[in-house]
Amino acid sequence: MAESTDDLLEPFLPPEENGDLPEASKSFKTRSRDPTRITNVASDVDVSTSVAAPEGGNIGTTRAYIAVAVMVYINLLNYMDRFTIAGVLIDIQSFYSISNSDAGLLQTSFILSYMVLAPLFGYLGDRYNRKFLMAAGILFWSGMTLAGSFIPKEHFWLFLMMRAMVGIGEASYSTIAPTIIADMFTKDRRTTMLTFFYFATPVGSGLGFIVGTNVAKLLGAWQWALRVTPVLGVVAVVLILLFVPNPPRGEADGGNTRLTNTSFLTDLKQLCRNGSFMLDTAGFTCVSFVTGALALWAPSFIAYAMTDGHKPTDKMQADIALIFGGITCAAGVIGTVAGAEWGKRWKKSDPTADPLVCAIGMLGCTPFLYFALLLSRTNIIVTYVLVLLGEIFLCLNWTLVADIVLYVVIPTRRSTAEAVQIVICHLLGDAGSPYLIGIVSDALASGHDNYIIKYQSLKNALFINTFVCVIGGAFFLGCAFFIVGDRARADRITRGEESEHSDLSNNLILPVDPLDSYLHQTETLMDENTRT
C-alpha cells in the first residue's frame, strides 16, 4: 500500500519530481524541504550568468511547435464545444419550454463549475504531470457533452447538470495549457505562440455558432449539434498523449535555480500582493462579462431584430449563426494577431505597452457596440460591420492578458495564477452576465411573448455591456502603473537573484520602486534595440 500522497501520484509526477534528476539536483531536493526557500541547484552556480534556455528547451524546437499546434487545436475545440449551445439556443428554449433567464442558466451553470474546479487543477498543474491532467479532463468533458444530447424534454434540470459537468473537464485544460507554452518559449516567441493559442478562442466560438446551427439543420434536430465535439475530443486526447510534453517548470526563463512550490495559501497571498496580476485580472473580468453576454445573446438578438413580430424561422437562425460565426472568427484572427503584434512593437520603446493596448481595446469597443445595438433594426448590414469592428477591438486583449500573467508570476505559481484569474473572471464576468442579461430582458418584457417586445427588452439589457467596457479600460490603465516593477521582480526571483520574501514591506498591490524599475527596464529595452 502507498504510504503517502506522493507515492499514489508518482506516475503523474514530472521527471524532476519522480527521481529522474542529476545528482546535483537530487542534493538540492534534500536541502530544500522548507517550502518557502529558494535555493541554487549547486553551490558553485553563478546566478548572474544565467541565460534563457533555447526555444523549446531540452524538448527541441520542432517538438515544441508540434505541441503548440496540438494545444491550438484543443483550444479551438474547447470554445466550439462551449458555444455550440448559442447557435441552437432558440430551438433548445422551444424544446424544453424555458424562458430567457432559464436559458441564461445554461451558460452560467457551465461557467460556475468551470470556475469552482479551476483552483484544484491550478494546484495540481503546478505540482504534477500536466499532460495527463489535460488528457483526463478532455475525455471527461467530451463524455458529458455527448450525454447531454440524450436528455428528454421533461428533464431540463438534468440537461442543465450535464452542461455544468462540461465545465469541470474544461477547467483542467484552460489552467494548464498556457503554462506549458510558457515553459517552452520566452519573450517575443512566447507572445507569438500565445497568439496562435488564443486566436483559437474567438475562432472556436465562431465555429461553435456555425457548426451547431448547420449540423442541427442538416440532421433535423438540435441534439446532433452536441455530438460533433465529443468525437473530436477523443482525437485530442490521443494527440496530447503522443505529442505534448511536460517541460520542467521555468526552463524557458533561464534560471540556474530550482524554485520549490509553496503552500496554496502562500501562493494566494503572493498573487494578491501582485498589483499587475490583480488589475490585469480585473480588466479581463470585464472582457469576460461582455464576451459571455454577447456570445449567448447576440445571435438571438439579431434574429429578433430581423423579425416582424413572429418567431424567427430555422433558416433565418442558421443564416444569422453563419454570419455571426464568420464575424467572430474574422474578428478573432484580426484582433488577436493585431493586439499581440502591436504590443510587441510598442513594448520596444515602452514596457507598459501590453496593458495600454488592452485598455485601448476595451475603450475602443464601446462606441461600436453601442451603435450596433442602436441601429440593429434600422440597417442590419451596418450592424454587422459595427459588430465586427467592436469585436476586433475586444479581441486585442486575448494574448496580452495571458502574457502579462505569465511574466509577472514566477513559474511554480503560474497554473495557480491562471486558476485564480479564471475564478475571478468567471465569478464576476461571464458566469453571471448571460443570466443577468436574461433577467433584465425578462423584466423589461413584462411577460409579453411578442418578438418585437423581446427585441426591445433584450437591446436595452445588452446596453449594460457598454458601461462594463469603460470600467475594464480603466482597470487596464491602472495595470500599466505596476507592470514594470512586478515583471522585474518576477525575473529576479526566477533567476535566483532575489528571494521572494526579501522585501516584506511589499504591500497589497504596490510594486517595488515602480519609477526606478520603469526607467531601468526602458533603458534595457533601448540598449537591446540598439544592439539588434
Side-chain angles (χ1 to χ4, degrees):
M1 182 178 292
E3 296 179 357
S4 67
T5 303
D6 285 348
D7 291 329
L8 290 171
L9 293 171
E10 183 174 347
F12 297 95
L13 294 173
E16 68 268 25
E17 293 187 24
N18 64 13
D20 298 332
L21 289 171
E23 291 303 317
S25 297
K26 289 179 180 177
S27 64
F28 158 82
K29 189 173 181 180
T30 61
R31 295 197 308 269
S32 58
R33 295 296 184 184
D34 181 354
T36 64
R37 185 178 174 189
I38 301 172
T39 316
N40 289 335
V41 173
S43 59
D44 58 349
V45 172
D46 180 5
V47 296
S48 64
T49 62
S50 63
V51 294
E55 301 299 354
N58 296 326
I59 295 165
T61 303
T62 301
R63 188 182 177 193
Y65 287 150
I66 292 173
V68 171
V70 170
M71 288 188 283
V72 169
Y73 163 73
I74 299 168
N75 204 33
L76 196 73
L77 182 62
N78 180 2
Y79 281 89
M80 277 181 62
D81 183 83
R82 189 181 301 188
F83 290 107
T84 298
I85 288 288
V88 292
L89 185 61
I90 294 177
D91 289 334
I92 291 174
Q93 286 183 271
S94 297
F95 183 80
Y96 287 109
S97 300
I98 56 175
S99 65
N100 280 357
S101 56
D102 288 335
L105 280 176
L106 290 172
Q107 189 76 347
T108 297
S109 64
F110 161 81
I111 295 298
L112 284 174
S113 66
Y114 176 48
M115 174 192 73
V116 169
L117 269 293
L120 172 62
F121 286 108
Y123 177 87
L124 296 174
D126 279 332
R127 290 159 177 82
Y128 303 113
N129 192 301
R130 291 171 284 185
K131 66 183 291 180
F132 291 124
L133 289 170
M134 289 194 301
I138 292 168
L139 192 61
F140 182 81
W141 111 47
S142 298
M144 292 298 101
T145 299
L146 183 62
S149 69
F150 294 99
I151 305 301
K153 64 177 64 177
E154 297 83 12
H155 299 289
F156 172 70
W157 64 271
L158 187 57
F159 180 70
L160 191 64
M161 187 176 73
M162 290 293 105
R163 293 308 298 170
M165 294 298 101
V166 172
I168 296 175
E170 290 198 20
S172 67
Y173 178 75
S174 298
T175 57
I176 293 172
T179 70
I180 293 179
I181 295 175
D183 287 332
M184 295 190 295
F185 301 94
T186 189
K187 295 186 178 179
D188 284 353
R189 189 62 59 85
R190 176 189 291 170
T191 303
T192 300
M193 293 302 105
L194 288 172
T195 300
F196 286 115
F197 181 77
Y198 281 107
F199 85 59
T201 299
V203 172
S205 302
L207 288 176
F209 300 132
I210 296 170
V211 172
T213 305
N214 287 279
V215 167
K217 179 183 176 183
L218 179 65
L219 298 177
W222 64 265
Q223 287 88 345
W224 286 103
L226 301 184
R227 296 168 187 168
V228 177
T229 54
V231 176
L232 300 176
V234 174
V235 175
V237 171
V238 175
L239 291 175
I240 282 182
L241 295 177
L242 292 178
F243 298 112
V244 176
N246 183 45
R249 292 163 179 82
E251 180 183 51
D253 293 297
N256 283 326
T257 63
R258 289 274 315 240
L259 301 177
T260 58
N261 291 110
T262 55
S263 69
F264 188 66
L265 182 59
T266 299
D267 289 346
L268 294 179
K269 288 179 179 178
Q270 291 298 327
L271 290 173
C272 287
R273 292 189 177 103
N274 190 318
S276 302
F277 172 77
M278 295 303 293
L279 288 167
D280 178 65
T281 298
F284 196 55
T285 299
C286 296
V287 177
S288 296
F289 184 100
V290 175
T291 54
L294 293 180
L296 187 69
W297 290 115
S300 298
F301 171 74
I302 294 173
Y304 294 161
M306 295 175 65
T307 66
D308 56 357
H310 299 90
K311 179 185 175 181
T313 65
D314 290 342
K315 184 180 184 304
M316 179 185 292
Q317 293 180 56
D319 291 343
I320 290 171
L322 180 63
I323 295 171
F324 187 77
I327 287 173
T328 302
C329 290
V333 173
I334 296 170
T336 304
V337 173
E341 190 62 26
W342 189 3
K344 282 195 298 184
R345 292 177 181 273
W346 193 359
K347 200 156 47 180
K348 292 178 181 179
S349 59
D350 186 349
T352 66
D354 285 349
L356 292 180
V357 172
C358 291
I360 291 170
M362 289 299 285
L363 297 175
C365 172
T366 306
F368 293 110
L369 178 57
Y370 176 82
F371 285 107
L373 294 171
L374 199 64
L375 301 175
S376 53
R377 200 167 175 82
T378 303
N379 191 319
I380 196 64
I381 301 300
V382 172
T383 299
Y384 280 135
V385 172
L386 291 171
V387 169
L388 172 65
L389 294 174
E391 287 197 356
I392 288 174
F393 273 93
L394 196 61
C395 290
L396 294 178
N397 296 279
W398 285 106
T399 299
L400 301 181
V401 165
D403 206 10
I404 288 170
V405 173
L406 294 173
Y407 64 62
V408 301
V409 176
I410 61 175
T412 52
R413 193 169 290 143
R414 285 172 178 163
S415 288
T416 299
E418 292 283 349
V420 169
Q421 186 171 84
I422 285 172
V423 170
I424 295 174
C425 288
H426 293 314
L427 178 65
L428 302 177
D430 55 355
S433 63
Y435 185 53
L436 175 63
I437 297 301
I439 287 177
V440 173
S441 173
D442 283 345
L444 294 174
S446 302
H448 293 285
D449 290 330
N450 184 282
Y451 280 86
I452 293 178
I453 295 177
K454 286 186 175 184
Y455 158 77
Q456 291 288 352
S457 62
L458 189 54
K459 179 182 75 173
N460 291 331
L462 287 170
F463 276 125
I464 295 172
N465 292 297
T466 59
F467 297 97
V468 176
C469 283
V470 174
I471 296 171
F475 281 130
F476 283 124
L477 289 174
C479 179
F481 286 99
F482 299 94
I483 195 164
V484 176
D486 288 338
R487 180 175 189 174
R489 187 164 186 263
D491 286 343
R492 291 194 300 269
I493 293 171
T494 300
R495 293 193 302 265
E497 297 171 2
E498 176 183 326
S499 168
E500 185 173 23
H501 304 282
S502 62
D503 184 12
L504 298 179
S505 64
N506 192 25
N507 293 323
L508 182 61
I509 61 170
L510 184 63
V512 181
D513 298 326
L515 180 58
D516 290 344
S517 296
Y518 176 87
L519 294 174
H520 174 72
Q521 189 162 339
T522 302
E523 291 172 359
T524 302
L525 288 170
M526 297 297 287
D527 291 341
E528 289 179 355
N529 292 336
T530 301
R531 289 195 299 271
T532 303

